[in-house]
Amino acid sequence: MCGIVGYIGPRPAAGLLIEGLKRLEYRGYDSSGIAVVNGDGLKIFKAAGKLTQLEQLLDGRLPHGTIGIGHTRWATHGAPNTPNAHPHTDQSGRIACIHNGIIENAGAIRTALKQRGHTFKSETDTEVLAHLVGEFYQGNLEEAVAMALGDVDGAYGLAFVCSDEPNVLVAARKGSPLLVGVGEGEWFVASDASPLLQYTRSVVYLDDGEMAVLTRDGYRIRNLQKARISKPVSQIEWDLATIERGGYDHFMLKEIFEQAESVENTLRGHLLEDEGTARVTGLNMTDDELKQVQRIVITACGTSWHSALIGEYMLEEMARIPVEVEYASEFRYRNPVVDERTLVIGISQSGETADTLAAIREAKHRGARTIGLVNVVGSTIAREVDGGIYLHAGPEVGVASTKAFTSQVAALALVTLRLARLRNLSILQGRQFIQALKLIPAQIQQILGRAHEVKAIADRFVHHNNALYLGRGVNFPVALEGALKLKEISYIHAEGYPAAEMKHGPIALIDENMPVVFIAPRDAVYQKILSNIEEVKARRGQVIALVNECDGQVDRLADVCFEIPETLDLLTPLLTVVPLQLFSYYVAVRRGCNVDQPRNLAKSVTVE
Ligand code: F6R
C-alpha cells in the first residue's frame, strides 16, 4: 500500500526523499508529501495526485535540511486529496508523521482528543495518531511515540520527525513492512529496499512491535517497552538496474518479457534430473514429514490465488493429496479446520499481503505446518513461515502481477514433484516432468517472439467493453487470471469461467458483441472444449482461441487462433497465460490506460 521513506545523514534530504518516492510510487499513487526539519522548523509539502504534482508544487525549490520523511499514499481513510495526504502533524505543528496501515480505534481517539480541544485538518487516522503523539510529547519523540502506540489498535508502518529534535527520526512497525537502511554515516527507513539501494544494500528488517530510533550517530532497535533488540543486518542482492524499465515502454511489458528468465530462475538448483525429483530443502521438512502430510490448504489473494488453483490441480493429480484453495481473507475469519497434519501453503509475490499473512498466522496458531512461496526476500511472510521457496523472479514493479504468477506456478510444480515422488510417481514420470519443465523457458520465449501477433489480435478487439474467458481443468484458473489482467489494467469488464459452466448462466451474455477467449490446448478435455466453442459460435459470439495447433477443427470455428507450444497438460498454464498477459497489455495501452499504475490499485495490499 503506501510507500514510506525517511532519511537522516549528511545529504540534503528533500531531493533524496522525492527520488525514493519515485521508486515507491507503485505502492500507492493518489497523493504524496514530504517533511524536512531544518533550522527554520518543520517544512511540509504535499499534493494530491501523482508524484509529479508534488514536484510541480516544489518547482525545483527544495527545502534545505538533512533529515526528513516522505510518503506516497493509497487512500484508506478519507478521499485522495491534499489535506489527507501525508505527512500529518500534531496539534502544535512540531511533529510530523507518515503512516502505512490503518489505526482501527482512530474514531474513538479522535473524539477524545476533540473533547480535549484538538482540531483536525484531515479525515485521516494518521493525523489522529500524530495528535496523540503530540499529547505525550515532553521533549522526547522516541518516548512519546512509544507511549502513543501503547494506546492504538491496528496496523502500522510509521515514521516521525520533530522540529524540536532535528537529530532524531523514529520509526515503528506493526503489521506493515518497514526496514532500516544502514549506510556510511547515514541511515534510512523505508517500506521496501528500492528507495535506498542507490546508497546502501545493508538493511535491518523490523518485526511487529519494534521501533527504530535513527540519530546522526547510528540506529537502535527497541520494543514499545524500551527493551533493546539486537538484529542481524541483511544484504540485498539485486541492484537498481533490476528495478528500472530497461528500454521497455512499461514495467508490465518488461516483466512479461522477463518470464523466460524468471521461470528459469525459479527452477534453478531445484531439479534433480537423475532422481526424477525436486530438491526443496527450503521447506525445512524431512521426507518422513512430507509423507505424513494428509491434506494441503493453499491460501492467497488475487493473481496468487489463481496460481494456487493451478497448484490444486497439480498436487491432486500427481501427488494424490487432497487440496483446498482458500481466499486468505475468507480463511482467516472462518474458523478453518486445520491441524498439525495439514500443510498450509501461503503464496504471495510481495510477502506482505495483510490477509495472506493473517491467514498464515491463523494456520500456525492452529498447529499447521506453514510454507511460503514468496518473491520478495526478507518480506514478512517469508520470515514467518516454517519454510518455503523463494521465487527469485526479481522485483515486480508493474501493479499487475505477471512474472510472479508464472514463477509461482513453477514453484508449485517443484513442491508437487517432490511430494508426488515420495508417494506414487515413478522415477520415469518424475524425469518426464522435469524434461517438460526444463523446456518451458524456451517455449515462453517462443511465444514472446510472436508478441506482434497478439498485438494484432488486441487491435482488433480493443473497442469491446466486455469479454468472457473460458478454460477447462488446469486452464480454468488461467481463464480467471486472463480476465483479471484485462479488467484491472484496461477497465474492460471481463469474467473467467470453467468452459462448461457457460451453459449455466453466462451464455445469456453471448451475442455478436461478446468476445470469448477460449484456452483450448490439446489436452484431455480438448474435444469437450470444441463443443463449447460451437455453442458460442451458434450464438454469434466472437472466439479467440489459444490452441496447440490450428488443426482444422478449431480454426474452422474461431475468429482468431493463437498457437502455443505443446507441453504436459499440467504445465500448459505456464504458456497459455503469456499471450493473455500480452493481450491485456496491448488492449490497455491502445485504450490509453496507465498500465503500470491502474486506477484504485496498489502493488502491495497491506490492509485488510
Ligand atoms: C493482480 C495482482 C493482485 C495480487 C494480490 C496478491 O495483478 O497483482 O491480485 O496478486 O494482491 O498480492 P501478493 O501476491 O503480493 O500477495
Side-chain angles (χ1 to χ4, degrees), residues 509-532:
L509 295 170
I510 292 171
D511 62 15
E512 66 278 15
N513 294 317
M514 177 63 92
V516 185
V517 180
F518 273 97
I519 304 150
R522 189 184 289 284
D523 57 13
V525 285
Y526 182 62
Q527 288 304 328
K528 305 272 174 217
I529 211 158
L530 281 179
S531 316
N532 299 136

Side-chain angles (χ1 to χ4, degrees), residues 301-304 348-350 353 399-401 408 484-485 488 605:
C301 305
T303 287
S304 302
S348 176
Q349 187 288 128
S350 61
T353 301
V399 163
S401 191
Q408 288 163 353
L484 177 63
K485 284 290 90 88
E488 68 181 328
V605 184

Side-chain angles (χ1 to χ4, degrees), residues 250-260 262-263 303-304 307 349 375 391 393-410 444 448 481 484-486 488-489 573-574 577-578 580-585 595-596 603:
H250 297 95
F251 280 110
M252 182 178 176
L253 189 62
K254 173 179 177 246
E255 288 156 9
I256 292 173
F257 270 83
E258 280 171 351
Q259 287 177 108
S262 49
V263 167
T303 287
S304 302
S307 72
Q349 187 288 128
N375 194 31
L391 305 179
E396 194 180 63
V397 179
V399 163
S401 191
T402 52
K403 62 176 177 171
F405 175 80
T406 39
S407 284
Q408 288 163 353
V409 176
I444 292 178
L448 293 170
E481 176 60 7
L484 177 63
K485 284 290 90 88
L486 189 68
E488 68 181 328
I489 60 166
L574 287 163
V577 76
V578 177
L580 300 186
Q581 295 166 341
L582 285 167
F583 179 74
S584 309
Y585 171 80
V595 284
D596 280 339
K603 183 67 187 158

Side-chain angles (χ1 to χ4, degrees), residues 317-335:
E317 173 73 28
M318 286 175 62
R320 311 301 301 151
I321 304 174
V323 179
E324 282 150 64
V325 176
E326 297 262 12
Y327 282 115
S329 53
E330 290 298 313
F331 178 82
R332 62 182 292 194
Y333 286 121
R334 66 166 194 82
N335 197 5

Side-chain angles (χ1 to χ4, degrees), residues 465-512:
N465 288 324
N466 295 287
L468 265 184
Y469 284 70
L470 303 176
R472 298 185 76 125
V474 73
N475 279 298
F476 153 55
V478 178
L480 295 178
E481 176 60 7
L484 177 63
K485 284 290 90 88
L486 189 68
K487 67 186 132 190
E488 68 181 328
I489 60 166
S490 71
Y491 320 137
I492 293 173
H493 174 238
E495 305 258 10
Y497 272 96
E501 270 296 303
M502 182 185 64
K503 289 192 284 294
H504 302 283
I507 198 164
L509 295 170
I510 292 171
D511 62 15
E512 66 278 15

